[in-house]
Amino acid sequence: MIKLDHVVRTYQMGKTTVQALRGVDLEIHDGELVAIMGPSGSGKSTLMHLLGGLDQPDEGSVVFGDQDISKQSRDFLAELRGKRVGFVFQTFSLIPTLTALDNVELPMMYQGVERKVRRERAQHLLEQVGLGDRLNHRPTELSGGEQQRVATARALANDPEVLLADEPTGNLDSKSGKQIMQLLTQLNEEKGMTVILVTHDATIAGYAQRTIHIFDGRIGDAAD
Amino acid sequence: MFRDNIRLAFHNIRHRQVRSWLTILGIVVGVAAVVALISIGEGMQNSIEEQFESIGYNTIILSPGGSTEQASGPEGRMGVLKAMFGGGKPAVVDLSVLDRLPQVVSFGAQRIETGMIASENLDGQAFLRITGLTYGMTDYFNAYFNGFPIAQGRNFDQSDRSVIVLGAQVATDLGVAVGDQVQIETTDFEVIGILESTATEGKGTGGAMTFRGMDTGLFVPIESLETLYGGEGKISQALVEVTDQTDVVEASQAIKNLFSQFETPVQTITAEEMSEQMKSVMASIQMTLTAIAAISLLVGAIGVMNTMFTSVLERTREIGIMKAIGAKDRHVLSLFMIESGLLGIIGGAIGVLAGVAISSLAGGVLSGALAVGPGSGGISVSFAASYSPWLIIGALLASFVLGAIAGVLPARRGAKLRPVEALRYE
């Protein structure tokens, strides 16, 4: 379970102060497939960063599992991200110089998994996402859909509790997008993984069991 | 984790080949210069030591003139150089008084003049330095003359006057063989001996300083120079051997005192003093040059720092990704520091090889350039550069540490990046 209690987050963009989140209360239960929807600039990416321990709130608390992570150290958050959260980004965010296999191995490397073990697991994960024949390709040698599948395999590397996907289909054609969404729903259904989708696309949000709308840094009821 | 980071670091360096090699080149130049200069310096020091050991530490070198001051400080060093190069103008010194000192075993003198040389096979004339030797000198001070090995003909007899022994090189240059005539000024001298070439021998013995000048030497009995140029009893330099039991420094002073009693003051210097002072002159030259080389190494390190800052900036997004998937600050820090350390040590390794190559080449060139043997009134230095394992290990270690240190600031900048900001960076 992830619970946000009156979370406020402001940041500086040059000289202007942006109030990204203006007091957000939110609960996401284990095993849920949730979509967070909102137009660009609504604060949905900031919300995702807070949910996954990439960022910390200025006010309020973020409870991950049974721990308040809003005041924890950088190392604590790094470990949380590494072990318990998997991120899938809109821009794939693979390390361009590394092969698919190396990219999937990387999160396990940071957790000190032995080389041989992680290599096998990375290979297994890539086979699961249908890229068993692309193990030694670099990101530039892969299509967008394939890259996003590598990124998903990477997100699963340390068997996280929560998968956070920020516009996972934003840079994909509809067919590849559909494949990714099927993969994510499958993970939720078969493994009971909590999946949080951040999107502005109603079609994508349609896959979710619950949709949370966000406007101007506040959770809205517009769609209810 | 550390090994994984080394692998990743290698990967990253390979991926940016041009920039990596240019950065490495900066380190290579610095390390090569330092290694070359230190090993050349060590080689020179060693060869000086070996040479003076072979001459024997119970040899005192005496040259006419000068004060009664001890040979130390800048004045002393000039004295050393004077003594080495056969002093200034030849002056009259009556060496026979040395017989009054019980500790003296043997002595001999050289007189160095520059004269017009002609031979049948030589077009025109040559202006060369001629060394006059007292009889038996090359036997008493054999090591000083590098054994004075006669290749053809014979050594001097006591009664010889207008005869000449030539170094191998000069014999070839003048186009003469044993039995031919060489004209000095207006007098004919018969070639009675030609020395073995020392050039090849010097290479073979490695570290030893050899009298390469022997090859270009023209040796005549000292008396014949008196006939040619006048000035009976004039010498440029004398060598004095004292008994093994003698305190050489005391003997040196005694000799000096003796000659000042006869109002023909001389400078004396023991082989050891000469060795020490030559070494100290060499050491200070070497230190200055090494310091300059070290500056270029520092510039190389700044190059590494520059490259690493660029790299961190360029890979900001990558750092964000690494952090998003669980990398801690220290993982990022060590990755970048290992990268810069690797740049350093690769540069160091190539630099050591280049330095060794440069110094062994320079060994030959420099010893040629310094060739001033007894034939021309001094000592020539031919040597092999010396590479101590500590120099090599030290250079590698220093270049790794320097590289890593140069990487500290850039790596810290990378490590401290906030993941969200790094991810947002385009």
Side-chain angles (χ1 to χ4, degrees), chain B residues 183-219:
Chain B
Q183 203 179 49
I184 303 178
E185 307 296 347
T186 52
T187 312
D188 281 338
F189 281 72
E190 186 193 342
V191 179
I192 55 162
I194 291 170
L195 297 175
E196 273 175 24
S197 169
T198 56
T200 49
E201 192 186 318
K203 289 250 160 61
T205 54
M209 178 166 79
T210 58
F211 296 104
R212 282 276 300 274
M214 297 295 292
D215 288 346
T216 54
L218 296 87
F219 302 92

Side-chain angles (χ1 to χ4, degrees), chain B residues 20-74:
Chain B
S20 298
W21 281 117
L22 287 175
T23 309
I24 287 167
L25 189 64
I27 297 287
V28 170
V29 170
V31 171
V34 170
V35 167
L37 286 168
I38 291 180
S39 53
I40 287 171
E42 293 279 307
M44 282 187 168
Q45 301 271 350
N46 288 349
S47 69
I48 289 166
E49 201 152 316
E50 280 175 36
Q51 182 56 35
F52 281 97
E53 250 161 39
S54 75
I55 290 174
Y57 283 120
N58 54 345
T59 301
I60 296 163
I61 297 151
L62 174 160
S63 55
S67 60
T68 49
E69 285 169 43
Q70 267 299 333
S72 65

Side-chain angles (χ1 to χ4, degrees), chain A residues 9 11 13 49 54-55 74-75 78-79 81-82 87 89 91 93-98 106-107 109-111 115 118 138 154, chain B residues 1 4-5 7-8 11-12 15-16 317-318 321-331 415-420 423-424:
Chain A
R9 182 74 176 107
Y11 56 87
M13 281 281 267
H49 294 151
L54 268 173
D55 199 6
R74 292 165 68 100
D75 273 2
E79 197 152 324
R81 295 191 296 266
F87 288 96
F89 298 98
T91 52
S93 298
L94 299 171
I95 307 282
T97 59
L98 297 180
L106 211 52
M109 189 182 106
Y110 293 126
Q111 298 312 319
R115 190 167 149 82
R118 63 176 198 241
R138 286 176 208 283
R154 183 182 63 186
Chain B
M1 185 62 228
D4 293 323
N5 259 345
R7 212 185 346 258
L8 273 183
H11 176 89
N12 287 327
H15 198 76
R16 293 167 182 79
R317 232 189 103 73
E318 208 170 293
I321 298 167
M322 283 159 60
K323 291 194 161 183
I325 61 175
K328 291 180 180 167
D329 291 1
R330 64 164 185 275
H331 293 140
K416 290 283 169 219
L417 281 172
R418 296 166 61 90
V420 173
L423 278 170
R424 208 181 283 141

Side-chain angles (χ1 to χ4, degrees), chain B residues 344-357:
Chain B
I345 204 167
I346 293 170
I350 300 171
V352 165
L353 292 177
V356 167

